[in-house]
């Protein structure tokens, strides 16, 4: 299992990610973000919290993506999920347990496909 930080700094979000969508869920404003260079995608809280004295955006859901040029131009594969002890896999993405069954997987996939025009395929076993 690969362990990822469950937060991103505001500087990292501004530098590396494109904000794809903004929506409200359970009284919180969330951003779907996408980094086309890596590629990677996540849903983060828009509000900044302080974690151990450092300002951070909490990651609510995340995907590990990889380009698949052998399958076609601009094809991106969902390779695996990144998770830590507090995040579990739901519908092919990692989600905070408090956010289960709230449609985050669908929201993240739809944002990437519809708003970014990314052809996604799944290449991992569940």
């Amino acid at each position: 299992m690969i362990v990822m930080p469950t937060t991103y700094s505001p500087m990292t979000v501004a530098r590396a990610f494109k904000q794809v969508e903004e929506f409200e869920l359970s009284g919180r404003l969330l951003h779907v973000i996408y980094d086309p260079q890596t590629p990677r995608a996540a849903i983060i809280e828009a509000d900044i919290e302080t974690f151990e004295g450092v300002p951070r955006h909490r990651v609510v859901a995340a995907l590990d993506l990889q380009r698949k040029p052998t399958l076609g131009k601009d094809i991106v594969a969902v390779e695996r999920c990144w998770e830590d002890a507090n995040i579990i896999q739901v519908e092919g993405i990692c989600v905070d347990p408090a956010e289960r069954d709230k449609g985050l997987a669908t929201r993240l996939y739809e944002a990437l496909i519809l708003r970014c025009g990314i052809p996604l395929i799944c290449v991992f076993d569940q």
Side-chain angles (χ1 to χ4, degrees):
M1 175 187 303
I2 297 171
V3 178
M4 83 170 244
T6 56
T7 64
Y8 286 121
S9 74
M11 288 176 46
T12 297
V13 172
R15 179 185 70 248
F17 289 94
K18 169 187 171 186
Q19 183 180 321
V20 175
E21 186 177 14
E22 179 177 278
F23 64 99
E24 189 174 323
L25 180 68
S26 302
R28 296 178 304 165
L29 188 60
L30 301 173
H31 292 163
V32 176
I33 57 175
Y34 174 61
D35 172 7
Q37 297 302 315
T38 302
R40 58 188 165 162
I43 297 176
I44 62 169
E45 287 190 358
D47 290 337
I48 297 170
E49 297 179 48
T50 302
F51 293 87
E52 298 182 12
V54 179
R56 311 286 287 181
H57 291 278
R58 186 171 78 87
V59 176
V60 177
L63 286 176
D64 181 18
L65 304 170
Q66 185 177 43
R67 284 184 190 80
K68 293 290 186 181
T70 56
L71 299 176
K73 184 177 187 254
D74 300 324
I75 297 291
V76 176
V78 177
E79 284 291 313
R80 62 182 167 245
C81 299
W82 296 75
E83 56 188 272
D84 70 13
N86 297 317
I87 295 179
I88 59 174
Q89 183 174 330
V90 176
E91 297 179 40
I93 70 167
C94 293
V95 197
D96 185 295
E99 302 303 329
R100 291 180 69 184
D101 302 322
K102 293 188 180 176
L104 290 176
T106 301
R107 193 82 185 225
L108 187 50
Y109 287 131
E110 285 179 352
L112 293 174
I113 294 166
L114 300 175
R115 298 192 186 276
C116 297
I118 300 167
L120 287 176
I121 62 170
C122 180
V123 295
F124 63 91
D125 295 325
Q126 295 203 38

